Amino acid sequence: MKIKLAQEDIQSSLIRKIERVSGEVLKMCYQCGNCSGGCPVSYDMEITPSQVMRFLQLGRVEEVANANSMWLCVGCLQCYSRCPKGVSVAAVLEAMRQMTLRKGTDHDRIKDIPFPFLKKAPQQAIVCGFRKFVS
Ligand code: SF4
Ligand code: SF4
């Protein structure tokens, strides 16, 4: 029982941190699904934008943290513009990405990127990619 309580404490402090970093109130989402409907990459997300909100409302932070959603989000803000409640899933995913990178966990390892790709890719794309995927 003690372990369960401790786990719940960790989850709720993570939820509070996500809200603080993103500036969003998770319970504002009423699950209309508009964000997922407009998201250009939701078809490839393991957890779609509206599901991200629901999972977090239920305290299922780890499942969202382990999904590819925050790494696939391109920050287009389509979800925000379509949300009738003014919620930005983009900000929530960005907060989770920042929290992961701040722990020193890289999503991409620079040395694994093939040199021919680095040589050809536009500099701006490389810098943006490093900012998004590397701590
Ligand atoms: S900002 Fe991210 S989550 Fe929102 S619609 Fe664009 S890609 Fe999807
Ligand atoms: S559009 Fe807004 S209210 Fe609707 S599911 Fe997405 S975040 Fe929730």
Side-chain angles (χ1 to χ4, degrees), residues 41-94:
V41 288
S42 65
Y43 70 91
D44 218 15
M45 285 181 174
E46 287 159 352
I47 300 178
T48 64
S50 53
Q51 288 173 336
V52 164
M53 298 306 291
R54 189 61 183 146
F55 273 49
L56 295 177
Q57 286 172 343
L58 295 172
R60 293 165 65 175
V61 186
E62 210 173 315
E63 281 155 276
V64 180
N66 290 331
N68 66 357
S69 313
M70 64 177 154
W71 306 110
L72 284 188
C73 170
V74 292
C76 66
L77 302 183
Q78 184 76 251
C79 48
Y80 182 45
S81 72
R82 289 170 65 103
C83 179
K85 301 287 284 180
V87 177
S88 172
V89 186
V92 171
L93 290 173
E94 171 69 11

